[in-house]
Amino acid sequence: MNSSTLTLIFFLISSLIPHFLLTLSSSFSFSLPFSNQGEWRLLQPTIGISAMHMQLIHNDKIIIFDRTDFGPSNLPLSNGNCRMDPFDTALQIDCTAHSILYDILTNTFRSLTVQTDTWCSSGSVLPNGTLVQTGGFNDGERRIRMFTPCFDNTCDWIEFPSYLSERRWYATNQILPDSRIIIIGGRRQFNYEFVPKETTSSSSSSSIHLPFLQETNDPSENNLYPFVHLLPNGNLFVFANTRSILLDYKNNVIVKEFPEIPGGDPHNYPSSGSSVLLPLDENQATIEAIVMICGGAPRGSFEAASKQNTFVKALTTCGFLKVTDSNPSWVMEEMPMERVMGDMLILPNGDVIIINGAGSGTAGWENGRQPVLTPVIFRSSETELSKRFSVMSPAYRPRLYHSSAVVLKDGRVLVGGSNPHVNYNFTGVEFPTDLSLEAFSPPYLSPEFYPIRPTIRHITNTILGYRVFYYVTFTVGNFGSASDVSVRLLAPSFTTHSYGMNQRMVVLKLIGITMVNLETYYATVLGPSTQEIAPPGYYLLFLVHEGVPSFGEWVQLM
């Protein structure tokens, strides 16, 4: 008898024990009351570089990097090493670091070596955990760089020159169901390509023209870093400037063009709003996909700031588009305050935090004013509009242009960077370069929620398969009901320039909750149904009880 048969028998037997098996409701709509506004902690006063790009990897470390054409950073390369680059526009011999590996558990970091310029680049993590980082500026614009995690201090960047077919500066990456990476757009690039390259192509260039990007280009180039989301049907949602399409990338066909977002204002760089795909719930009969786009700068803000020293108030709107509807239309809501250059991240309980940014101006050197220090948390499960946004405790440090943020395994949000002027300048400017790292703890980490906070004790297998049953054993002090429990997979984002590429949450189908003994339960869940719902790779698995998440556990979906 094989293991799959045993698993099925065990499930059937346990489902016949009504005393222990608790009945599920059809949806997970529990809303956590905000009795506090979270807490800020300074982790590092300086890491030596500006946290312009960040990616959490599966050994609980974060790869952080900025750019090489900045001049010397405040962190020397290890062992007296120097970077030799005759094509660098700042320093041909540079003995300082422009990338680090930050260890979350020990709150320490070490320098990494990037050889060519990574300014305004993009990235995705392969299913094996390797970060593939693409493009940049100058001599880095057609390179890819790879970082494979290790558990000692030997791993570093490996670079592949001239790998990309086109220069990729301000492009967007998305991991695909077949484990390839699609790279879309970039400055004056109205096309897309794949990594790895297609070996069957007879063309000398493997890039594919996408006229939509040319159509949405304007004098301010408000279609840079387009928002890209993989949808459950396998097509891509692509948003640029004010317009969006459904792209069948396999056949290079635009399946549908969606209505233009109301207001007529752009939301991509340098107007720099942000976007997330709200959690995909496998417990629904038909999975809904809703794209959320918030903030940005009114049209003309970049020219006003950069040429006239006038800083226009940022946008207050959030737009929601249910792209799985046959005839979708935008639903607009108001945020509590104006925000441009804000980072939107999905929290472990499915809420969305909007953090960092400015109240006026736009992205670009010296173009932001009125730092927005207060994060807001959006709860999509809340039906009363006045309660969907909650204002959090303010930070002490402005996080403007070139700041970034990522969600950690323990549910905190790590933020860093802010460099709203050229070079590492700490004096004589309104907002000096910030090299610090901070962490924001959302309200669910408050001690008052300890009694209902679950702790994951065991997962049947940390290598997950599609449509396979799994058991997540957990403990909780004051258990509510099965309808208050959900199990979620979160794909960490590659965050830069106010956009978290590849960010994704899937709510696994929950079969039932079984009591083992006092305070100990196990959840029976089903692995994701398709690779379009959840592409292969490393995810953080969270168990959420009454709106309070456990600490995450790394799993690999294969």
Side-chain angles (χ1 to χ4, degrees):
M1 186 177 296
N2 61 39
S3 58
S4 298
T5 305
L6 286 172
T7 298
L8 180 59
I9 292 174
F10 182 78
F11 163 68
L12 291 173
I13 292 174
S14 57
S15 66
L16 295 174
I17 309 176
H19 179 72
F20 292 106
L21 187 62
L22 307 176
T23 304
L24 287 172
S25 69
S26 60
S27 63
F28 306 101
S29 59
F30 190 90
S31 294
L32 178 68
F34 286 118
S35 56
N36 63 65
Q37 282 70 51
E39 179 182 72
W40 286 90
R41 289 279 178 89
L42 178 66
L43 300 178
Q44 287 286 349
T46 176
I47 57 173
I49 69 169
S50 179
M52 192 181 298
H53 312 76
M54 290 204 286
Q55 173 73 58
L56 173 66
I57 51 179
H58 67 272
N59 59 356
D60 289 316
K61 297 180 182 179
I62 301 174
I63 300 172
I64 302 174
F65 55 95
D66 52 22
R67 51 188 291 189
T68 63
D69 65 340
F70 240 27
S73 74
N74 280 21
L75 179 68
L77 285 168
S78 60
N79 302 319
N81 292 330
C82 294
R83 180 181 64 91
M84 311 291 184
D85 184 358
F87 301 103
D88 194 276
T89 57
L91 290 173
Q92 284 74 49
I93 301 176
D94 187 358
C95 302
T96 63
H98 298 281
S99 177
I100 70 163
L101 189 65
Y102 174 75
D103 189 319
I104 300 167
L105 300 179
T106 62
N107 190 27
T108 59
F109 57 92
R110 68 177 177 92
S111 63
L112 300 174
T113 304
V114 286
Q115 294 292 339
T116 53
D117 200 358
T118 52
W119 180 25
C120 303
S121 54
S122 50
S124 293
V125 178
L126 294 174
N128 69 353
T130 294
L131 171 62
V132 177
Q133 190 276 319
T134 53
F137 181 63
N138 192 28
D139 59 358
E141 62 191 12
R142 294 185 62 225
R143 292 206 170 206
I144 69 169
R145 305 163 190 86
M146 303 181 80
F147 185 96
T148 300
C150 60
F151 291 89
D152 55 23
N153 291 326
T154 61
C155 43
D156 208 332
W157 290 104
I158 300 173
E159 301 204 11
F160 300 86
S162 301
Y163 186 91
L164 299 174
S165 298
E166 311 291 346
R167 58 196 297 269
R168 298 297 173 187
W169 192 29
Y170 297 93
T172 295
N173 291 15
Q174 173 64 54
I175 192 74
L176 298 174
D178 62 7
S179 302
R180 291 183 300 163
I181 297 166
I182 188 171
I183 310 168
I184 300 180
R187 177 154 285 171
R188 292 181 288 279
Q189 294 298 330
F190 312 122
N191 50 65
Y192 59 90
E193 63 180 290
F194 300 93
V195 173
K197 293 181 178 180
E198 293 184 345
T199 57
T200 57
S201 175
S202 59
S203 171
S204 59
S205 172
S206 57
S207 65
I208 301 169
H209 186 53
L210 183 58
F212 169 75
L213 294 177
Q214 196 157 9
E215 295 166 9
T216 54
N217 191 44
D218 67 14
S220 292
E221 294 184 295
N222 286 299
N223 66 353
L224 300 182
Y225 282 127
F227 303 143
V228 179
H229 301 292
L230 173 66
L231 301 183
N233 63 6
N235 293 325
L236 297 176
F237 173 87
V238 183
F239 182 98
N241 208 335
T242 62
R243 293 168 55 191
S244 53
I245 58 171
L246 184 64
L247 174 65
D248 175 357
Y249 63 88
K250 295 178 181 178
N251 299 300
N252 191 31
V253 172
I254 295 177
V255 178
K256 177 186 295 187
E257 177 152 2
F258 298 104
E260 193 166 359
I261 194 168
D265 292 313
H267 295 267
N268 298 93
Y269 181 91
S271 292
S272 292
S274 193
S275 177
V276 297
L277 176 67
L278 292 180
L280 303 174
D281 192 348
E282 294 258 39
N283 297 278
Q284 296 175 338
T286 302
I287 296 178
E288 296 178 345
I290 301 174
V291 172
M292 177 182 182
I293 296 175
C294 293
R299 190 172 296 280
S301 294
F302 181 78
E303 289 82 0
S306 59
K307 298 177 181 178
Q308 303 163 19
N309 207 37
T310 299
F311 304 97
V312 181
K313 279 191 174 182
L315 301 176
T316 60
T317 53
C318 280
F320 300 84
L321 187 68
K322 189 183 295 185
V323 293
T324 44
D325 278 359
S326 57
N327 189 26
S329 60
W330 289 95
V331 176
M332 306 303 290
E333 294 186 26
E334 292 289 320
M335 295 186 291
M337 72 281 289
E338 299 92 354
R339 194 182 304 256
V340 62
M341 296 183 286
D343 289 291
M344 291 174 61
L345 298 169
I346 303 172
L347 296 174
N349 63 356
D351 293 343
V352 175
I353 189 168
I354 312 175
I355 199 165
N356 301 336
S360 62
T362 183
W365 307 118
E366 311 289 351
N367 289 342
R369 293 294 186 273
Q370 298 178 303
V372 182
L373 301 177
T374 50
V376 298
I377 290 180
F378 170 80
R379 292 181 288 178
S380 59
S381 60
E382 177 59 63
T383 56
E384 189 173 337
L385 293 182
S386 63
K387 295 181 179 179
R388 282 159 74 87
F389 286 100
S390 297
V391 179
M392 298 290 104
S393 296
Y396 298 101
R397 297 166 180 260
R399 301 288 180 182
L400 301 172
Y401 187 47
H402 283 165
S403 60
S404 58
V406 292
V407 174
L408 304 183
K409 177 179 177 178
D410 58 16
R412 294 177 299 162
V413 178
L414 183 134
V415 301
S418 190
N419 197 35
H421 48 79
V422 177
N423 299 326
Y424 292 98
N425 194 337
F426 304 100
T427 59
V429 289
E430 187 166 356
F431 302 110
T433 298
D434 196 311
L435 307 183
S436 68
L437 287 182
E438 293 177 284
F440 175 71
S441 296
Y444 52 62
L445 291 175
S446 172
E448 67 188 278
F449 296 114
Y450 284 173
I452 60 172
R453 176 170 298 122
T455 300
I456 295 176
R457 299 299 181 185
H458 180 69
I459 303 172
T460 308
N461 197 334
T462 57
I463 298 178
L464 303 186
Y466 293 89
R467 294 186 175 274
V468 176
F469 287 112
Y470 294 94
Y471 304 97
V472 181
T473 303
F474 66 99
T475 56
V476 63
N478 295 339
F479 182 73
S481 67
S483 62
D484 297 327
V485 175
S486 62
V487 179
R488 298 164 181 262
L489 297 180
L490 176 64
S493 63
F494 178 91
T495 305
T496 188
H497 289 76
S498 305
Y499 179 51
M501 303 177 196
N502 308 291
Q503 182 177 205
R504 191 175 201 82
M505 176 171 278
V506 177
V507 185
L508 296 180
K509 185 172 183 60
L510 184 55
I511 307 302
I513 305 293
T514 303
M515 180 188 295
V516 178
N517 54 48
L518 186 63
E519 297 189 357
T520 302
Y521 306 82
Y522 68 81
T524 305
V525 295
L526 192 63
S529 55
T530 67
Q531 294 175 324
E532 288 73 24
I533 297 291
Y538 280 93
Y539 291 78
L540 282 169
L541 184 146
F542 294 94
L543 189 139
V544 180
H545 173 249
E546 295 191 1
V548 178
S550 67
F551 283 12
E553 296 290 339
W554 286 105
V555 295
Q556 187 178 19
L557 182 59
M558 299 177 67

